[in-house]
Amino acid sequence: MSTSDDTERAEQPEQPEHATGGVYTSAGKKFTRDTNYITTRITADGRDGYPVQAGRYRLIAARACPWANRTIIVRRLLGLEDALSIGFPGPTHDERSWTFDLDPGGRDPVLGIERLQDAYFARFPDYPRGITVPAIVDVPTGQVVTNDYAQITLDLSTEWRAYHRPGAPDLYPEEHREEIDAVNRRVFTEVNNGVYRCGFAGSQAAYDRAYERLWSALDWLEERLIDRRYLVGETITEADVRLFTTLVRFDPVYHGHFKCNRSTLREMPALWGYARDLFQTPGFGDTVDFAQIKAHYYVVHRDINPTGIVPAGPDLSGWVSPHGREALGGRPFGDGTPPGRVRPDERVDEAHTPLRLG
């Protein structure tokens, strides 16, 4: 396993005109993502000074953010709730930081801070980059350890094994890692990041190129998923987690807000069936808060939505309609089992999801 997903560092940033939450744009130019993250790792052997320890760290992950949503899903699938606590910032933020406005008094109840930037500054007083989620904070010191989202989920799968629940799936199996990494490279550059490249394009030419790249990749995925239930192998892997968090935001946000509008996800039969299959799998849809997702993109991105109006649609009921993907075979959790019920204090507001959470 590589120490980091190199593809998620492939595009170096231009000088930013402005930066919010780690997303950089440059007027009149193509969108580039700042890929310089805090690469300290939490490992079983503690080689970076941060050994895996139950209860020592806190994951800060906004439900609105697709990169953070990955970590919420993986933590739940692996059953790490007892070992790694979680804090949820609100869906909106200002130019300085994500804030804990969902918590009583506007403070994270474990870290005691109002802004995530406080944890960054506790370790790096002059931290010059965007204050991003997900981030893992060392609770005893209150210092951020890492915000390297590409590596965080891989490490939860491989370095935190001692704390996985019985029946936890192997999301990064040795025999499929080369293929998973190859799929992830294309999905990241062309889809996960591709929708942002469309949305924040600074010129018509940049947008046209981004649009062509995105839809070329989505057509490739549509074809790939016609006769296979999951992206790699017969079970859910890291590759499915990474694609899902973009797909679940596609119709509510990316299709209109980011001008990724050749067609909706619902008009791509294989991808729509695949996305619904995952959404209805425990650990995926029960982490998705559509209201927070829409609030984040439409309220925060005032440069492309000046009014801050959040659209009422789309209709979400289709997410729980039958998908028929079981006919393709595959076993979602391999030899393992699905995660149990979501903890009461981690449940998505039932008004924000079409799932019946029970």
Side-chain angles (χ1 to χ4, degrees), residues 20-23 33 37 59-72 87-91 93 97-100 116-117 120 130-137 144 146-150 152 196 296:
T20 302
V23 173
R33 179 174 297 283
Y37 294 96
L59 172 64
I60 304 302
R63 293 191 187 277
C65 170
W67 321 99
N69 196 176
R70 294 179 182 184
T71 62
I72 301 171
F88 297 106
H93 58 73
S97 176
W98 294 85
T99 56
F100 295 100
L116 181 56
Q117 70 178 9
Y120 279 71
I131 306 300
T132 63
V133 289
I136 298 183
V137 178
V144 66
T146 180
N147 65 345
D148 189 356
Y149 64 91
I152 287 173
Y196 284 86
H296 171 70

mmCIF file of all heavy atoms in Angstrom, residues 20-23 33 37 59-72 87-91 93 97-100 116-117 120 130-137 144 146-150 152 196 296:
data_model
loop_
_atom_site.group_PDB
_atom_site.id
_atom_site.type_symbol
_atom_site.label_atom_id
_atom_site.label_comp_id
_atom_site.label_asym_id
_atom_site.label_seq_id
_atom_site.Cartn_x
_atom_site.Cartn_y
_atom_site.Cartn_z
ATOM 1 N N THR A 20 -11.770 28.779 0.009
ATOM 2 C CA THR A 20 -12.773 28.482 1.014
ATOM 3 C C THR A 20 -12.798 26.982 1.227
ATOM 4 O O THR A 20 -13.097 26.243 0.314
ATOM 5 C CB THR A 20 -14.168 28.963 0.589
ATOM 6 O OG1 THR A 20 -14.121 30.356 0.342
ATOM 7 C CG2 THR A 20 -15.178 28.695 1.677
ATOM 8 N N GLY A 21 -12.481 26.532 2.441
ATOM 9 C CA GLY A 21 -12.538 25.110 2.731
ATOM 10 C C GLY A 21 -11.619 24.282 1.871
ATOM 11 O O GLY A 21 -11.878 23.116 1.621
ATOM 12 N N GLY A 22 -10.534 24.861 1.382
ATOM 13 C CA GLY A 22 -9.570 24.091 0.624
ATOM 14 C C GLY A 22 -9.827 24.059 -0.866
ATOM 15 O O GLY A 22 -9.064 23.469 -1.599
ATOM 16 N N VAL A 23 -10.897 24.693 -1.349
ATOM 17 C CA VAL A 23 -11.168 24.720 -2.782
ATOM 18 C C VAL A 23 -10.660 26.044 -3.338
ATOM 19 O O VAL A 23 -11.046 27.104 -2.875
ATOM 20 C CB VAL A 23 -12.669 24.550 -3.075
ATOM 21 C CG1 VAL A 23 -12.946 24.761 -4.546
ATOM 22 C CG2 VAL A 23 -13.135 23.172 -2.647
ATOM 23 N N ARG A 33 -7.293 21.955 -7.622
ATOM 24 C CA ARG A 33 -7.518 21.674 -6.214
ATOM 25 C C ARG A 33 -6.189 21.686 -5.473
ATOM 26 O O ARG A 33 -5.214 21.082 -5.909
ATOM 27 C CB ARG A 33 -8.184 20.304 -6.044
ATOM 28 C CG ARG A 33 -8.430 19.922 -4.582
ATOM 29 C CD ARG A 33 -9.212 18.625 -4.497
ATOM 30 N NE ARG A 33 -10.521 18.786 -5.104
ATOM 31 C CZ ARG A 33 -11.551 19.403 -4.528
ATOM 32 N NH1 ARG A 33 -11.428 19.923 -3.325
ATOM 33 N NH2 ARG A 33 -12.697 19.520 -5.153
ATOM 34 N N TYR A 37 -1.782 18.439 1.781
ATOM 35 C CA TYR A 37 -2.473 18.148 3.028
ATOM 36 C C TYR A 37 -1.478 17.823 4.133
ATOM 37 O O TYR A 37 -0.282 17.645 3.880
ATOM 38 C CB TYR A 37 -3.465 16.992 2.820
ATOM 39 C CG TYR A 37 -4.596 17.357 1.889
ATOM 40 C CD1 TYR A 37 -4.535 17.044 0.544
ATOM 41 C CD2 TYR A 37 -5.694 18.064 2.353
ATOM 42 C CE1 TYR A 37 -5.556 17.419 -0.326
ATOM 43 C CE2 TYR A 37 -6.717 18.445 1.499
ATOM 44 C CZ TYR A 37 -6.637 18.113 0.162
ATOM 45 O OH TYR A 37 -7.641 18.489 -0.681
ATOM 46 N N LEU A 59 -12.625 12.246 14.921
ATOM 47 C CA LEU A 59 -12.816 12.539 13.507
ATOM 48 C C LEU A 59 -13.804 13.689 13.370
ATOM 49 O O LEU A 59 -14.912 13.624 13.911
ATOM 50 C CB LEU A 59 -13.350 11.300 12.795
ATOM 51 C CG LEU A 59 -13.803 11.468 11.341
ATOM 52 C CD1 LEU A 59 -12.638 11.856 10.439
ATOM 53 C CD2 LEU A 59 -14.479 10.193 10.846
ATOM 54 N N ILE A 60 -13.414 14.728 12.665
ATOM 55 C CA ILE A 60 -14.301 15.853 12.385
ATOM 56 C C ILE A 60 -14.693 15.761 10.913
ATOM 57 O O ILE A 60 -13.843 15.853 10.022
ATOM 58 C CB ILE A 60 -13.619 17.205 12.681
ATOM 59 C CG1 ILE A 60 -13.118 17.244 14.134
ATOM 60 C CG2 ILE A 60 -14.587 18.347 12.404
ATOM 61 C CD1 ILE A 60 -14.198 17.032 15.187
ATOM 62 N N ALA A 61 -15.981 15.543 10.667
ATOM 63 C CA ALA A 61 -16.430 15.249 9.306
ATOM 64 C C ALA A 61 -17.805 15.860 9.070
ATOM 65 O O ALA A 61 -18.797 15.396 9.631
ATOM 66 C CB ALA A 61 -16.470 13.740 9.082
ATOM 67 N N ALA A 62 -17.864 16.883 8.229
ATOM 68 C CA ALA A 62 -19.145 17.501 7.886
ATOM 69 C C ALA A 62 -19.912 16.598 6.934
ATOM 70 O O ALA A 62 -19.372 16.137 5.929
ATOM 71 C CB ALA A 62 -18.914 18.870 7.251
ATOM 72 N N ARG A 63 -21.182 16.372 7.222
ATOM 73 C CA ARG A 63 -21.996 15.522 6.348
ATOM 74 C C ARG A 63 -22.126 16.119 4.954
ATOM 75 O O ARG A 63 -22.346 15.394 3.979
ATOM 76 C CB ARG A 63 -23.388 15.333 6.949
ATOM 77 C CG ARG A 63 -23.421 14.532 8.246
ATOM 78 C CD ARG A 63 -24.850 14.185 8.605
ATOM 79 N NE ARG A 63 -24.964 13.565 9.908
ATOM 80 C CZ ARG A 63 -24.770 12.274 10.150
ATOM 81 N NH1 ARG A 63 -24.425 11.469 9.163
ATOM 82 N NH2 ARG A 63 -24.919 11.787 11.373
ATOM 83 N N ALA A 64 -22.013 17.426 4.839
ATOM 84 C CA ALA A 64 -22.204 18.086 3.552
ATOM 85 C C ALA A 64 -21.082 17.778 2.569
ATOM 86 O O ALA A 64 -21.301 17.786 1.357
ATOM 87 C CB ALA A 64 -22.295 19.597 3.757
ATOM 88 N N CYS A 65 -19.902 17.512 3.061
ATOM 89 C CA CYS A 65 -18.702 17.418 2.234
ATOM 90 C C CYS A 65 -18.504 16.003 1.689
ATOM 91 O O CYS A 65 -18.482 15.048 2.468
ATOM 92 C CB CYS A 65 -17.495 17.833 3.068
ATOM 93 S SG CYS A 65 -15.905 17.514 2.275
ATOM 94 N N PRO A 66 -18.318 15.830 0.379
ATOM 95 C CA PRO A 66 -18.141 14.479 -0.159
ATOM 96 C C PRO A 66 -16.871 13.798 0.315
ATOM 97 O O PRO A 66 -16.837 12.575 0.514
ATOM 98 C CB PRO A 66 -18.110 14.702 -1.675
ATOM 99 C CG PRO A 66 -17.678 16.125 -1.848
ATOM 100 C CD PRO A 66 -18.268 16.860 -0.681
ATOM 101 N N TRP A 67 -15.807 14.574 0.518
ATOM 102 C CA TRP A 67 -14.543 13.994 0.969
ATOM 103 C C TRP A 67 -14.674 13.519 2.419
ATOM 104 O O TRP A 67 -14.127 12.481 2.790
ATOM 105 C CB TRP A 67 -13.420 15.017 0.829
ATOM 106 C CG TRP A 67 -13.545 15.829 -0.423
ATOM 107 C CD1 TRP A 67 -14.076 17.084 -0.535
ATOM 108 C CD2 TRP A 67 -13.196 15.429 -1.761
ATOM 109 N NE1 TRP A 67 -14.049 17.486 -1.850
ATOM 110 C CE2 TRP A 67 -13.521 16.504 -2.625
ATOM 111 C CE3 TRP A 67 -12.616 14.269 -2.291
ATOM 112 C CZ2 TRP A 67 -13.288 16.449 -3.994
ATOM 113 C CZ3 TRP A 67 -12.393 14.228 -3.666
ATOM 114 C CH2 TRP A 67 -12.735 15.299 -4.500
ATOM 115 N N ALA A 68 -15.408 14.267 3.241
ATOM 116 C CA ALA A 68 -15.651 13.857 4.619
ATOM 117 C C ALA A 68 -16.651 12.714 4.695
ATOM 118 O O ALA A 68 -16.542 11.827 5.548
ATOM 119 C CB ALA A 68 -16.152 15.051 5.433
ATOM 120 N N ASN A 69 -17.631 12.719 3.804
ATOM 121 C CA ASN A 69 -18.640 11.660 3.787
ATOM 122 C C ASN A 69 -17.998 10.288 3.609
ATOM 123 O O ASN A 69 -18.451 9.288 4.154
ATOM 124 C CB ASN A 69 -19.645 11.941 2.662
ATOM 125 C CG ASN A 69 -20.935 11.165 2.767
ATOM 126 O OD1 ASN A 69 -21.847 11.364 1.963
ATOM 127 N ND2 ASN A 69 -21.061 10.240 3.708
ATOM 128 N N ARG A 70 -16.891 10.244 2.870
ATOM 129 C CA ARG A 70 -16.152 8.986 2.718
ATOM 130 C C ARG A 70 -15.767 8.414 4.084
ATOM 131 O O ARG A 70 -15.927 7.226 4.346
ATOM 132 C CB ARG A 70 -14.849 9.205 1.950
ATOM 133 C CG ARG A 70 -14.939 9.608 0.513
ATOM 134 C CD ARG A 70 -13.512 9.778 0.018
ATOM 135 N NE ARG A 70 -13.424 10.212 -1.365
ATOM 136 C CZ ARG A 70 -12.279 10.349 -2.008
ATOM 137 N NH1 ARG A 70 -11.135 10.095 -1.380
ATOM 138 N NH2 ARG A 70 -12.248 10.729 -3.276
ATOM 139 N N THR A 71 -15.221 9.277 4.935
ATOM 140 C CA THR A 71 -14.736 8.797 6.231
ATOM 141 C C THR A 71 -15.890 8.372 7.128
ATOM 142 O O THR A 71 -15.751 7.429 7.913
ATOM 143 C CB THR A 71 -13.904 9.876 6.942
ATOM 144 O OG1 THR A 71 -14.705 11.034 7.209
ATOM 145 C CG2 THR A 71 -12.709 10.289 6.108
ATOM 146 N N ILE A 72 -17.031 9.057 7.021
ATOM 147 C CA ILE A 72 -18.194 8.681 7.824
ATOM 148 C C ILE A 72 -18.661 7.282 7.429
ATOM 149 O O ILE A 72 -18.981 6.442 8.283
ATOM 150 C CB ILE A 72 -19.335 9.708 7.649
ATOM 151 C CG1 ILE A 72 -18.876 11.109 8.059
ATOM 152 C CG2 ILE A 72 -20.546 9.297 8.473
ATOM 153 C CD1 ILE A 72 -19.873 12.208 7.702
ATOM 154 N N GLY A 87 -17.228 14.196 15.316
ATOM 155 C CA GLY A 87 -17.875 15.486 15.488
ATOM 156 C C GLY A 87 -18.360 15.982 14.144
ATOM 157 O O GLY A 87 -17.676 15.808 13.127
ATOM 158 N N PHE A 88 -19.532 16.609 14.131
ATOM 159 C CA PHE A 88 -20.160 17.055 12.890
ATOM 160 C C PHE A 88 -20.267 18.573 12.844
ATOM 161 O O PHE A 88 -21.137 19.142 13.517
ATOM 162 C CB PHE A 88 -21.553 16.449 12.750
ATOM 163 C CG PHE A 88 -21.586 14.956 12.643
ATOM 164 C CD1 PHE A 88 -22.016 14.184 13.727
ATOM 165 C CD2 PHE A 88 -21.194 14.313 11.485
ATOM 166 C CE1 PHE A 88 -22.063 12.806 13.644
ATOM 167 C CE2 PHE A 88 -21.237 12.938 11.382
ATOM 168 C CZ PHE A 88 -21.668 12.177 12.455
ATOM 169 N N PRO A 89 -19.431 19.247 12.066
ATOM 170 C CA PRO A 89 -19.646 20.679 11.856
ATOM 171 C C PRO A 89 -20.938 20.901 11.082
ATOM 172 O O PRO A 89 -21.471 19.988 10.445
ATOM 173 C CB PRO A 89 -18.432 21.106 11.013
ATOM 174 C CG PRO A 89 -17.444 20.001 11.149
ATOM 175 C CD PRO A 89 -18.234 18.756 11.369
ATOM 176 N N GLY A 90 -21.425 22.119 11.102
ATOM 177 C CA GLY A 90 -22.609 22.448 10.327
ATOM 178 C C GLY A 90 -22.311 22.453 8.841
ATOM 179 O O GLY A 90 -21.147 22.377 8.418
ATOM 180 N N PRO A 91 -23.334 22.569 8.018
ATOM 181 C CA PRO A 91 -23.136 22.466 6.575
ATOM 182 C C PRO A 91 -22.531 23.697 5.920
ATOM 183 O O PRO A 91 -22.062 23.629 4.785
ATOM 184 C CB PRO A 91 -24.555 22.235 6.047
ATOM 185 C CG PRO A 91 -25.442 22.879 7.053
ATOM 186 C CD PRO A 91 -24.769 22.655 8.376
ATOM 187 N N HIS A 93 -19.956 27.284 6.149
ATOM 188 C CA HIS A 93 -18.784 27.845 6.817
ATOM 189 C C HIS A 93 -18.454 29.179 6.180
ATOM 190 O O HIS A 93 -18.954 29.508 5.096
ATOM 191 C CB HIS A 93 -17.586 26.895 6.737
ATOM 192 C CG HIS A 93 -17.173 26.538 5.334
ATOM 193 N ND1 HIS A 93 -16.541 27.412 4.493
ATOM 194 C CD2 HIS A 93 -17.331 25.384 4.625
ATOM 195 C CE1 HIS A 93 -16.295 26.832 3.329
ATOM 196 N NE2 HIS A 93 -16.781 25.603 3.378
ATOM 197 N N SER A 97 -13.286 29.045 8.453
ATOM 198 C CA SER A 97 -13.296 27.708 9.024
ATOM 199 C C SER A 97 -14.687 27.100 9.024
ATOM 200 O O SER A 97 -15.698 27.813 8.989
ATOM 201 C CB SER A 97 -12.783 27.770 10.473
ATOM 202 O OG SER A 97 -12.848 26.518 11.107
ATOM 203 N N TRP A 98 -14.714 25.773 9.111
ATOM 204 C CA TRP A 98 -15.927 25.056 9.481
ATOM 205 C C TRP A 98 -16.214 25.335 10.958
ATOM 206 O O TRP A 98 -15.285 25.468 11.764
ATOM 207 C CB TRP A 98 -15.746 23.556 9.280
ATOM 208 C CG TRP A 98 -15.575 23.141 7.852
ATOM 209 C CD1 TRP A 98 -14.407 23.121 7.139
ATOM 210 C CD2 TRP A 98 -16.609 22.714 6.955
ATOM 211 N NE1 TRP A 98 -14.651 22.688 5.850
ATOM 212 C CE2 TRP A 98 -15.988 22.430 5.713
ATOM 213 C CE3 TRP A 98 -17.985 22.523 7.089
ATOM 214 C CZ2 TRP A 98 -16.706 21.974 4.616
ATOM 215 C CZ3 TRP A 98 -18.694 22.071 5.990
ATOM 216 C CH2 TRP A 98 -18.065 21.803 4.767
ATOM 217 N N THR A 99 -17.497 25.419 11.321
ATOM 218 C CA THR A 99 -17.878 25.742 12.689
ATOM 219 C C THR A 99 -18.816 24.673 13.245
ATOM 220 O O THR A 99 -19.473 23.948 12.503
ATOM 221 C CB THR A 99 -18.584 27.112 12.742
ATOM 222 O OG1 THR A 99 -19.705 27.098 11.843
ATOM 223 C CG2 THR A 99 -17.616 28.217 12.337
ATOM 224 N N PHE A 100 -18.890 24.614 14.559
ATOM 225 C CA PHE A 100 -19.694 23.594 15.235
ATOM 226 C C PHE A 100 -21.045 24.159 15.670
ATOM 227 O O PHE A 100 -21.460 24.023 16.821
ATOM 228 C CB PHE A 100 -18.912 23.036 16.428
ATOM 229 C CG PHE A 100 -17.672 22.294 16.013
ATOM 230 C CD1 PHE A 100 -16.430 22.910 16.071
ATOM 231 C CD2 PHE A 100 -17.750 20.995 15.544
ATOM 232 C CE1 PHE A 100 -15.285 22.230 15.673
ATOM 233 C CE2 PHE A 100 -16.623 20.302 15.145
ATOM 234 C CZ PHE A 100 -15.382 20.922 15.206
ATOM 235 N N LEU A 116 -13.088 24.674 13.681
ATOM 236 C CA LEU A 116 -12.088 23.646 13.434
ATOM 237 C C LEU A 116 -10.701 24.251 13.297
ATOM 238 O O LEU A 116 -9.700 23.609 13.624
ATOM 239 C CB LEU A 116 -12.461 22.853 12.174
ATOM 240 C CG LEU A 116 -11.524 21.714 11.772
ATOM 241 C CD1 LEU A 116 -11.339 20.707 12.906
ATOM 242 C CD2 LEU A 116 -12.036 21.026 10.514
ATOM 243 N N GLN A 117 -10.616 25.492 12.862
ATOM 244 C CA GLN A 117 -9.302 26.113 12.700
ATOM 245 C C GLN A 117 -8.523 26.155 14.022
ATOM 246 O O GLN A 117 -7.285 26.167 14.015
ATOM 247 C CB GLN A 117 -9.434 27.529 12.138
ATOM 248 C CG GLN A 117 -10.026 28.540 13.085
ATOM 249 C CD GLN A 117 -10.071 29.938 12.478
ATOM 250 O OE1 GLN A 117 -9.804 30.117 11.293
ATOM 251 N NE2 GLN A 117 -10.414 30.930 13.290
ATOM 252 N N TYR A 120 -6.294 23.237 14.059
ATOM 253 C CA TYR A 120 -5.181 23.420 13.117
ATOM 254 C C TYR A 120 -4.131 24.354 13.722
ATOM 255 O O TYR A 120 -2.929 24.075 13.694
ATOM 256 C CB TYR A 120 -5.700 24.001 11.802
ATOM 257 C CG TYR A 120 -6.304 23.003 10.844
ATOM 258 C CD1 TYR A 120 -7.533 22.400 11.108
ATOM 259 C CD2 TYR A 120 -5.667 22.683 9.658
ATOM 260 C CE1 TYR A 120 -8.104 21.506 10.214
ATOM 261 C CE2 TYR A 120 -6.222 21.787 8.751
ATOM 262 C CZ TYR A 120 -7.438 21.201 9.036
ATOM 263 O OH TYR A 120 -8.004 20.309 8.144
ATOM 264 N N GLY A 130 -6.232 26.056 3.480
ATOM 265 C CA GLY A 130 -7.630 25.960 3.836
ATOM 266 C C GLY A 130 -7.854 25.031 5.021
ATOM 267 O O GLY A 130 -7.136 24.045 5.201
ATOM 268 N N ILE A 131 -8.845 25.357 5.833
ATOM 269 C CA ILE A 131 -9.219 24.520 6.978
ATOM 270 C C ILE A 131 -10.238 23.515 6.468
ATOM 271 O O ILE A 131 -11.407 23.841 6.281
ATOM 272 C CB ILE A 131 -9.799 25.376 8.124
ATOM 273 C CG1 ILE A 131 -8.823 26.491 8.497
ATOM 274 C CG2 ILE A 131 -10.131 24.498 9.322
ATOM 275 C CD1 ILE A 131 -7.458 26.022 8.972
ATOM 276 N N THR A 132 -9.797 22.283 6.228
ATOM 277 C CA THR A 132 -10.627 21.319 5.516
ATOM 278 C C THR A 132 -11.118 20.188 6.415
ATOM 279 O O THR A 132 -10.537 19.896 7.457
ATOM 280 C CB THR A 132 -9.845 20.701 4.342
ATOM 281 O OG1 THR A 132 -8.712 19.968 4.848
ATOM 282 C CG2 THR A 132 -9.364 21.773 3.376
ATOM 283 N N VAL A 133 -12.217 19.583 5.962
ATOM 284 C CA VAL A 133 -12.704 18.329 6.530
ATOM 285 C C VAL A 133 -12.613 17.277 5.426
ATOM 286 O O VAL A 133 -12.706 17.621 4.245
ATOM 287 C CB VAL A 133 -14.164 18.458 7.025
ATOM 288 C CG1 VAL A 133 -14.237 19.315 8.258
ATOM 289 C CG2 VAL A 133 -15.095 18.996 5.933
ATOM 290 N N PRO A 134 -12.384 16.016 5.829
ATOM 291 C CA PRO A 134 -12.275 15.525 7.198
ATOM 292 C C PRO A 134 -10.929 15.881 7.814
ATOM 293 O O PRO A 134 -9.948 16.110 7.111
ATOM 294 C CB PRO A 134 -12.397 14.005 7.020
ATOM 295 C CG PRO A 134 -11.738 13.755 5.690
ATOM 296 C CD PRO A 134 -12.191 14.923 4.834
ATOM 297 N N ALA A 135 -10.916 15.888 9.123
ATOM 298 C CA ALA A 135 -9.676 16.057 9.874
ATOM 299 C C ALA A 135 -9.764 15.173 11.113
ATOM 300 O O ALA A 135 -10.851 14.984 11.666
ATOM 301 C CB ALA A 135 -9.476 17.516 10.282
ATOM 302 N N ILE A 136 -8.639 14.640 11.520
ATOM 303 C CA ILE A 136 -8.589 13.868 12.760
ATOM 304 C C ILE A 136 -7.769 14.660 13.764
ATOM 305 O O ILE A 136 -6.661 15.121 13.471
ATOM 306 C CB ILE A 136 -7.996 12.464 12.549
ATOM 307 C CG1 ILE A 136 -8.874 11.649 11.588
ATOM 308 C CG2 ILE A 136 -7.862 11.743 13.880
ATOM 309 C CD1 ILE A 136 -8.412 10.217 11.373
ATOM 310 N N VAL A 137 -8.329 14.834 14.946
ATOM 311 C CA VAL A 137 -7.720 15.654 15.992
ATOM 312 C C VAL A 137 -7.300 14.766 17.159
ATOM 313 O O VAL A 137 -8.033 13.857 17.557
ATOM 314 C CB VAL A 137 -8.714 16.738 16.472
ATOM 315 C CG1 VAL A 137 -8.104 17.569 17.593
ATOM 316 C CG2 VAL A 137 -9.129 17.622 15.297
ATOM 317 N N VAL A 144 -4.685 19.151 15.443
ATOM 318 C CA VAL A 144 -4.994 18.350 14.273
ATOM 319 C C VAL A 144 -3.830 17.405 14.006
ATOM 320 O O VAL A 144 -2.660 17.765 14.163
ATOM 321 C CB VAL A 144 -5.259 19.251 13.044
ATOM 322 C CG1 VAL A 144 -4.004 20.014 12.616
ATOM 323 C CG2 VAL A 144 -5.805 18.439 11.891
ATOM 324 N N THR A 146 -4.126 14.996 11.066
ATOM 325 C CA THR A 146 -4.115 14.869 9.614
ATOM 326 C C THR A 146 -5.432 15.340 9.017
ATOM 327 O O THR A 146 -6.481 15.240 9.650
ATOM 328 C CB THR A 146 -3.864 13.399 9.204
ATOM 329 O OG1 THR A 146 -3.857 13.296 7.761
ATOM 330 C CG2 THR A 146 -4.941 12.466 9.753
ATOM 331 N N ASN A 147 -5.346 15.862 7.812
ATOM 332 C CA ASN A 147 -6.536 16.134 6.998
ATOM 333 C C ASN A 147 -6.384 15.477 5.632
ATOM 334 O O ASN A 147 -7.059 15.854 4.672
ATOM 335 C CB ASN A 147 -6.788 17.635 6.862
ATOM 336 C CG ASN A 147 -5.681 18.341 6.086
ATOM 337 O OD1 ASN A 147 -4.601 17.812 5.863
ATOM 338 N ND2 ASN A 147 -5.943 19.581 5.688
ATOM 339 N N ASP A 148 -5.511 14.493 5.539
ATOM 340 C CA ASP A 148 -5.207 13.804 4.284
ATOM 341 C C ASP A 148 -6.304 12.785 3.990
ATOM 342 O O ASP A 148 -6.167 11.596 4.254
ATOM 343 C CB ASP A 148 -3.838 13.131 4.396
ATOM 344 C CG ASP A 148 -3.333 12.572 3.076
ATOM 345 O OD1 ASP A 148 -4.074 12.643 2.077
ATOM 346 O OD2 ASP A 148 -2.202 12.055 3.056
ATOM 347 N N TYR A 149 -7.407 13.269 3.433
ATOM 348 C CA TYR A 149 -8.618 12.450 3.317
ATOM 349 C C TYR A 149 -8.414 11.187 2.500
ATOM 350 O O TYR A 149 -9.039 10.159 2.773
ATOM 351 C CB TYR A 149 -9.756 13.275 2.718
ATOM 352 C CG TYR A 149 -9.511 13.753 1.304
ATOM 353 C CD1 TYR A 149 -9.910 12.995 0.217
ATOM 354 C CD2 TYR A 149 -8.881 14.965 1.068
ATOM 355 C CE1 TYR A 149 -9.675 13.414 -1.073
ATOM 356 C CE2 TYR A 149 -8.643 15.398 -0.209
ATOM 357 C CZ TYR A 149 -9.032 14.625 -1.286
ATOM 358 O OH TYR A 149 -8.786 15.051 -2.565
ATOM 359 N N ALA A 150 -7.530 11.237 1.499
ATOM 360 C CA ALA A 150 -7.296 10.044 0.684
ATOM 361 C C ALA A 150 -6.646 8.936 1.496
ATOM 362 O O ALA A 150 -6.935 7.753 1.309
ATOM 363 C CB ALA A 150 -6.419 10.401 -0.518
ATOM 364 N N ILE A 152 -6.705 8.808 4.965
ATOM 365 C CA ILE A 152 -7.446 8.513 6.195
ATOM 366 C C ILE A 152 -8.272 7.246 6.048
ATOM 367 O O ILE A 152 -8.236 6.354 6.907
ATOM 368 C CB ILE A 152 -8.342 9.706 6.599
ATOM 369 C CG1 ILE A 152 -7.496 10.855 7.159
ATOM 370 C CG2 ILE A 152 -9.379 9.266 7.646
ATOM 371 C CD1 ILE A 152 -8.287 12.134 7.419
ATOM 372 N N TYR A 196 -16.123 19.511 -9.793
ATOM 373 C CA TYR A 196 -15.640 20.809 -9.318
ATOM 374 C C TYR A 196 -14.967 21.575 -10.446
ATOM 375 O O TYR A 196 -15.073 22.803 -10.540
ATOM 376 C CB TYR A 196 -14.661 20.617 -8.160
ATOM 377 C CG TYR A 196 -15.325 20.280 -6.855
ATOM 378 C CD1 TYR A 196 -15.643 18.956 -6.537
ATOM 379 C CD2 TYR A 196 -15.643 21.268 -5.932
ATOM 380 C CE1 TYR A 196 -16.261 18.636 -5.344
ATOM 381 C CE2 TYR A 196 -16.260 20.960 -4.731
ATOM 382 C CZ TYR A 196 -16.566 19.639 -4.443
ATOM 383 O OH TYR A 196 -17.182 19.327 -3.259
ATOM 384 N N HIS A 296 -24.996 23.448 1.968
ATOM 385 C CA HIS A 296 -23.568 23.759 1.830
ATOM 386 C C HIS A 296 -23.258 24.364 0.464
ATOM 387 O O HIS A 296 -22.719 25.472 0.362
ATOM 388 C CB HIS A 296 -22.726 22.505 2.036
ATOM 389 C CG HIS A 296 -21.281 22.716 1.701
ATOM 390 N ND1 HIS A 296 -20.446 23.489 2.473
ATOM 391 C CD2 HIS A 296 -20.530 22.292 0.651
ATOM 392 C CE1 HIS A 296 -19.240 23.506 1.928
ATOM 393 N NE2 HIS A 296 -19.272 22.791 0.820
#
